[in-house]
Amino acid sequence: MAPKRGIPFAKNGSKGIRFTVLRFLLLCVLTPVVFFLSRSSHVADQNDISAVPDTQVAKWREWNALQDLKSLFSKEVFDVIVSSTDDMGPLSLDNFRKNMSASWRVVGLETSDVAYELKEPTTHGRQEKLQVKEGRSSEGLSQWTDSPARQVRRKLIGKRQEKRASELVKMDNEVIVKLENAAIERSKSVESAILGKYSIWRKEIENDNADSSVRFMRDQIIMARVYLSIAKMKNKLELYQELQSRLKESQHALSDAISDSDLHHSTHEQIKTMGQVLSKARGQLYDCKLVTGKLRAMLQTADEQVRSLKKQSTFLSQLAAKTIPNGIHCLSMRLTIDYYLLPPEKRKFPMSDNLENPSLYHYALFSDNVLAASVVVKSVVTNAEDPSKHVFHLVTDKLNFGAMTMWFLLNPPGKATIHVQNVDDFKWLNSSYCPVLRQLESAKMKEYYFKAGHATTITSSASNMKYRNPKYLSMLNHLRFYLPEVYPKLDKILFLDDDIVVQKDLTGLWAVDLQGKVNGAVETCGESFHRFDKYLNFSNPHIARNFDPNACGWAYGMNVFDLKEWKKKDITGIYHKWQNMNEDRVLWKLGTLPPGLMTFYGLTHPLNKSWHVLGLGYSPTVDRSMIENAAVVHYNGNMKPWLEIAMTKYRPYWTKYVKHNHPYLQNCKL
C-alpha cells in the first residue's frame, strides 16, 4: 500500500483495531523527542561536547535516535520515518501539523478501491478514529515506496503542469480567435464580385441567422437527393415518388434565391412539408454507411462540376480579354471615316521639330486601342509639371492608324507634342531581319497559333485560347525590341503600355542613374514567384547554362531605356539570338516578357516600387494605399478597365481620364 502523504492508515479484514492520530503521533514523534531531551541532558552533564559544532551535534543525536527506534518499530514504519526525515527535515510536531490536511487518502489496498479520508482536528481538540481491521498481516499492505513525500511532490508538480498546459491551450484558442476576427475584418475590403457567392467571408455569413431559410432549404434538397437515390435502390416506389414531388417543389421555390427576402411567403409551409417527408424517409431508409457513400459520391460529382466550370471560366475570360467591346469598335470606325474625309494638309500634327529633340521627355506607346491610348496620354499630361517638354510617339497598326490620328487631331494633348505612326511604314521591319515575322510565315507556327490544339469545345482546351490572343502575333507587341531603330536620334525613352494610368509627374525617371544598365524597371518577384524559373524552361541546357532560376523578374509596362547603352551592347542582336533559338518554342512558350528577361539579363536596374504598381487586372487584394501613392498603376491581366469584366473598385482610377461627354463617345454609348 502506498500512502499519498507519508503516514500509513489502513483498514484490513474482518477485525478492526483503531489507532487515533494523537496516539500515533505520540508513538512516532514524541517518543524520539523525549529521547532527544534525555540524551541531550546526559551529554550536557559530561561537559565534553561543547567544543563540537551545533550541526554535527544535531546530526549525531538524530542518528542515535534513529538507531534506538529500530528496536521499537517495524521495518515499514521505520522506513517512513527515515524518508520523512530525509525529505522534510528533522522530525517535529509543527512539521506534521503544517503538512497534514483532510485530503490524506490511503490507496493501494488490494481488497478495496475505496479511499479513506483523515479529517482535520476539531475545535475541541478531538480527532475521529480510523479503524484498522483485525488480523492484519504484513502481507495485507502493499509495499511502501522509498519516498512518499517525493510521490506527493511529483503529484503536485503534475497538477501544476496540467494547469499550465490548460492555460496555454486557452491562450492559443484566444490567439486563434483574434486571428480569425482580424481575417474577417481584412476580408470586408475584398471585392465580393470577384470571390463570388461561395465565399464564407461574406457579410451575410457573419450573422448565423441571416438567410437561414435559404440555407436550410439547400440542406433539405441535398438530403432529399440522397434518400431519393436510396429509395430507388431499395424499390420504395411510393416514397420515391413522394420525395421526387417534394424535391421539385423545393427547387422551384428556391429557384435563384440567395436571401430569405427572395422567398415566397408560402415557402415556410413547403419547408415544413419537406421536413416531414425527410423524417419519414429517415425512418425507413437511413443507413449510416449507405448515406455516407451517397454524400461522398455527390461531393465527387460537385468537384468535377467545379473543375469543368473553372475551364469554362478560363475560356470565357480569355475570350473576353482578346475581344474589343462594341463601343470601342464603334469609336474606331467613326474616327477612321472622319479621318479619310479630311484634306491631306489637315492630317498633320504641329510641333514636329520636337520629335527628335533629345533634351525633351520622350514616351513610346504602341497600341491599337484608341480609348486606352487616350487615357495614357491624358493622364501623363494632366500630372506633368511642364507638359510642353513631353513628347509622345504613338505607333499603331494599319487598321487603327486613321482612328488614332483623328482622335488626337480632335483632342490635342495641350502643350505636349504628339505623333502617330503606322507600323507597316517601317520597311526595315521584314521577315529577313525580324525572326518573329519569319517564324510567323511558317506553316508550323500558323498551325500552333491559329489551330491551338484543335480545340472545338469550351472545356476541351481552354488554356490554348491564350495562344490565340492576337497580341502575341502583332508586331506592335514585339516592336519594343527595336526602339533604337524606331527612334535613332533619341538617347533615352520611357516605354509605356496602353493599360496603365499615370498619377504623378514622371520627369524624375529621366534623372535616375541606371549605372550603366540599359533597362530601368520595377522588380516583381517575391520569395518564390515571378522569378526566372516561372517563365523559362530550365530543363533546356541553353537556359540552365546561361541564367539563374532564382533571378528576379521585372515588369514591362513602364520602362526607362538608355538607347545609347542599348546600341553599345547590341540588345536587338541578343534578342534575335534567343528568338532564333526558340523557333520550336523549347525555351519559352509565348509572349514578350520571357525574351525580355533573357535579353536584358544582367542589364536591368531596379526602380523604386512606388514608380509602378501592378496587378489591377487580376488581383483583388492590391493595397489601396500603394495604388494611391504610385506614380503609375498597371492593369496587367485579363480584367482591363475598358472591359465589362474589370474589377469595379479599380475602374475609377482609369475612368477619371475618359472624356465621357465627348460626342464620339456618347454616340458609341461609351
Side-chain angles (χ1 to χ4, degrees):
M1 172 174 75
K4 284 191 174 182
R5 294 199 55 177
I7 301 177
F9 293 94
K11 196 169 184 180
N12 192 9
S14 60
K15 296 181 180 182
I17 301 176
R18 302 173 181 268
F19 288 97
T20 64
V21 174
L22 182 60
R23 189 179 302 172
F24 189 82
L25 290 176
L26 289 174
L27 186 65
C28 297
V29 179
L30 296 182
T31 301
V33 171
V34 173
F35 186 78
F36 290 156
L37 294 175
S38 62
R39 292 288 296 176
S40 61
S41 62
H42 176 70
V43 174
D45 292 340
Q46 294 181 359
N47 295 325
D48 57 351
I49 197 75
S50 57
V52 182
D54 292 341
T55 55
Q56 295 184 10
V57 171
K59 290 182 179 180
W60 177 75
R61 289 173 179 171
E62 183 180 348
W63 181 82
N64 278 289
L66 292 175
Q67 294 298 320
D68 293 336
L69 286 173
K70 285 184 177 181
S71 60
L72 299 176
F73 301 102
S74 65
K75 185 176 183 304
E76 291 83 2
V77 176
F78 182 80
D79 290 339
V80 172
I81 296 173
V82 172
S83 62
S84 299
T85 304
D86 292 340
D87 292 327
M88 295 182 289
L91 293 172
S92 68
L93 186 59
D94 293 337
N95 190 27
F96 280 99
R97 285 173 181 165
K98 180 176 66 175
N99 291 319
M100 284 171 54
S101 71
S103 63
W104 284 18
R105 293 181 297 174
V106 178
V107 296
L109 284 176
E110 297 177 356
T111 58
S112 176
D113 293 330
V114 181
Y116 296 90
E117 294 185 1
L118 178 64
K119 294 185 178 180
E120 294 274 312
T122 64
T123 55
H124 302 288
R126 295 180 301 173
Q127 297 176 329
E128 293 187 2
K129 298 181 180 180
L130 294 176
Q131 295 182 349
V132 180
K133 295 183 178 180
E134 293 182 358
R136 181 183 64 180
S137 63
S138 60
E139 296 177 355
L141 295 172
S142 61
Q143 294 296 321
W144 290 94
T145 59
D146 58 343
S147 178
R150 290 178 182 173
Q151 288 184 348
V152 175
R153 193 174 302 158
R154 282 196 297 269
K155 290 179 181 179
L156 291 175
I157 292 173
K159 290 180 179 179
R160 286 197 298 269
Q161 290 175 344
E162 291 176 358
K163 183 179 179 181
R164 179 60 177 163
S166 63
E167 291 175 352
L168 291 174
V169 170
K170 185 178 179 181
M171 290 173 61
D172 289 343
N173 292 336
E174 293 175 353
V175 171
I176 291 172
V177 171
K178 289 180 180 179
L179 291 175
E180 290 176 349
N181 292 336
I184 291 173
E185 290 299 322
R186 289 195 302 271
S187 69
K188 291 179 180 179
S189 62
V190 177
E191 177 69 25
S192 60
I194 301 304
L195 295 180
K197 298 182 178 63
Y198 53 82
S199 174
I200 64 172
W201 300 108
R202 289 187 301 159
K203 290 184 178 180
E204 55 265 33
I205 301 300
E206 295 176 13
N207 184 358
D208 294 336
N209 297 321
D211 304 329
S212 57
S213 297
V214 170
R215 296 203 301 272
F216 190 71
M217 288 187 70
R218 289 171 180 166
D219 291 341
Q220 283 187 330
I221 289 173
I222 291 173
M223 291 309 301
R225 288 173 176 170
V226 172
Y227 287 129
L228 193 68
S229 177
I230 298 175
K232 186 176 182 180
M233 180 189 304
K234 294 188 175 182
N235 202 25
K236 300 281 187 179
L237 298 181
E238 183 179 350
L239 184 58
Y240 175 84
Q241 293 175 355
E242 190 175 3
L243 282 167
Q244 192 174 41
S245 175
R246 298 305 177 191
L247 179 60
K248 289 181 180 179
E249 289 180 0
S250 295
Q251 289 174 335
H252 178 73
L254 186 61
S255 186
D256 296 328
I258 59 175
S259 64
D260 288 356
S261 60
D262 299 331
L263 298 175
H264 193 266
H265 59 83
S266 62
T267 305
H268 294 286
E269 188 64 29
Q270 293 176 340
I271 293 175
K272 183 178 178 181
T273 306
M274 173 63 90
Q276 294 172 351
V277 176
L278 289 176
S279 178
K280 179 181 177 180
R282 176 183 174 85
Q284 296 184 23
L285 303 175
Y286 184 76
D287 183 304
C288 183
K289 185 176 181 181
L290 199 56
V291 170
T292 303
K294 292 295 180 182
L295 288 172
R296 186 179 294 112
M298 291 174 64
L299 182 62
Q300 291 174 351
T301 302
D303 186 53
E304 292 175 359
Q305 291 176 349
V306 168
R307 292 178 184 175
S308 176
L309 290 173
K310 282 184 177 180
K311 290 182 179 180
Q312 293 183 25
S313 175
T314 302
F315 178 91
L316 294 174
S317 64
Q318 294 291 343
L319 184 64
K322 77 170 189 174
T323 55
I324 300 175
N326 288 336
I328 296 179
H329 181 71
C330 167
L331 176 64
S332 180
M333 293 298 101
R334 286 178 176 269
L335 288 169
T336 301
I337 293 171
D338 290 349
Y339 171 77
Y340 286 106
L341 292 175
L342 281 178
E345 63 272 11
K346 292 185 178 181
R347 299 178 185 176
K348 296 181 180 179
F349 292 98
M351 298 182 292
S352 58
D353 295 340
N354 292 336
L355 298 177
E356 296 182 350
N357 186 349
S359 63
L360 300 179
Y361 306 120
H362 295 265
Y363 300 87
L365 176 61
F366 309 145
S367 174
D368 58 359
N369 188 323
V370 176
L371 188 62
S374 70
V375 169
V376 175
V377 173
K378 185 177 180 181
S379 64
V380 173
V381 174
T382 301
N383 294 284
E385 294 180 0
D386 186 1
S388 63
K389 294 184 178 180
H390 295 262
V391 182
F392 296 92
H393 302 266
L394 271 69
V395 180
T396 187
D397 56 17
K398 181 169 54 178
L399 291 175
N400 294 280
F401 174 75
M404 194 78 71
T405 305
M406 189 65 188
W407 175 266
F408 287 105
L409 286 173
L410 294 173
N411 305 278
K415 297 180 180 180
T417 304
I418 194 164
H419 183 60
V420 179
Q421 293 175 280
N422 182 359
V423 68
D424 294 323
D425 291 339
F426 301 148
K427 301 305 179 182
W428 50 267
L429 198 62
N430 49 57
S431 58
S432 61
Y433 177 65
C434 179
V436 172
L437 287 176
R438 183 176 66 253
Q439 291 167 7
L440 289 176
E441 291 178 356
S442 67
K444 189 175 181 181
M445 188 65 73
K446 289 178 181 178
E447 175 77 12
Y448 176 74
Y449 276 112
F450 293 100
K451 295 297 181 64
H454 303 281
T456 56
T457 65
I458 288 180
T459 58
S460 63
S461 186
S463 61
N464 285 339
M465 281 294 298
K466 186 185 297 183
Y467 304 144
R468 298 185 180 188
N469 198 318
K471 73 177 184 178
Y472 299 121
L473 308 177
S474 173
M475 278 309 300
L476 289 176
N477 204 41
H478 294 268
L479 195 61
R480 64 192 68 190
F481 294 104
Y482 300 95
L483 289 173
E485 285 88 340
V486 181
Y487 311 109
K489 299 289 184 68
L490 300 181
D491 297 332
K492 187 175 285 190
I493 197 166
L494 182 61
F495 173 79
L496 298 177
D497 265 342
D498 63 357
D499 56 351
I500 63 102
V501 173
V502 178
Q503 302 184 126
K504 294 182 180 180
D505 182 51
L506 299 181
T507 55
L509 287 170
W510 276 266
V512 173
D513 182 10
L514 298 182
Q515 301 178 4
K517 304 296 178 64
V518 179
N519 176 26
V522 170
E523 293 182 335
T524 59
C525 62
E527 293 182 0
S528 61
F529 55 93
H530 288 175
R531 297 185 181 272
F532 272 45
D533 60 345
K534 301 300 180 183
Y535 301 101
L536 306 178
N537 177 20
F538 275 87
S539 63
N540 186 283
H542 295 290
I543 298 294
R545 188 166 51 247
N546 290 281
F547 303 101
D548 178 9
N550 294 317
C552 191
W554 44 267
Y556 262 134
M558 191 212 70
N559 305 81
V560 181
F561 290 112
D562 187 332
L563 301 184
K564 285 186 176 180
E565 291 294 328
W566 184 306
K567 296 172 186 176
K568 289 180 182 179
K569 295 180 169 59
D570 190 20
I571 297 300
T572 304
I574 297 173
Y575 163 70
H576 284 174
K577 167 193 169 184
W578 291 114
Q579 193 68 53
N580 284 323
M581 293 176 64
N582 194 48
E583 187 168 359
D584 295 328
R585 301 175 307 282
V586 295
L587 305 184
W588 70 88
K589 282 292 182 184
L590 74 169
T592 54
L593 180 57
L597 295 176
M598 301 167 70
T599 301
F600 295 101
Y601 182 66
L603 300 173
T604 300
H605 175 73
L607 299 177
N608 189 290
K609 291 185 180 296
S610 63
W611 281 112
H612 188 189
V613 170
L614 300 100
L616 278 69
Y618 70 89
S619 174
T621 59
V622 181
D623 188 78
R624 185 176 295 273
S625 62
M626 291 179 61
I627 296 175
E628 294 175 351
N629 294 326
V632 171
V633 292
H634 195 169
Y635 292 83
N636 57 314
N638 288 333
M639 301 177 187
K640 304 300 183 185
W642 55 83
L643 300 175
E644 291 186 4
I645 61 174
M647 283 179 270
T648 307
K649 66 178 183 178
Y650 297 149
R651 184 173 280 167
Y653 299 107
W654 187 83
T655 56
K656 66 186 292 187
Y657 296 105
V658 177
K659 291 185 176 182
H660 296 285
N661 59 349
H662 196 282
Y664 281 88
L665 271 62
Q666 290 182 347
N667 291 335
C668 292
K669 299 180 181 180
L670 275 168

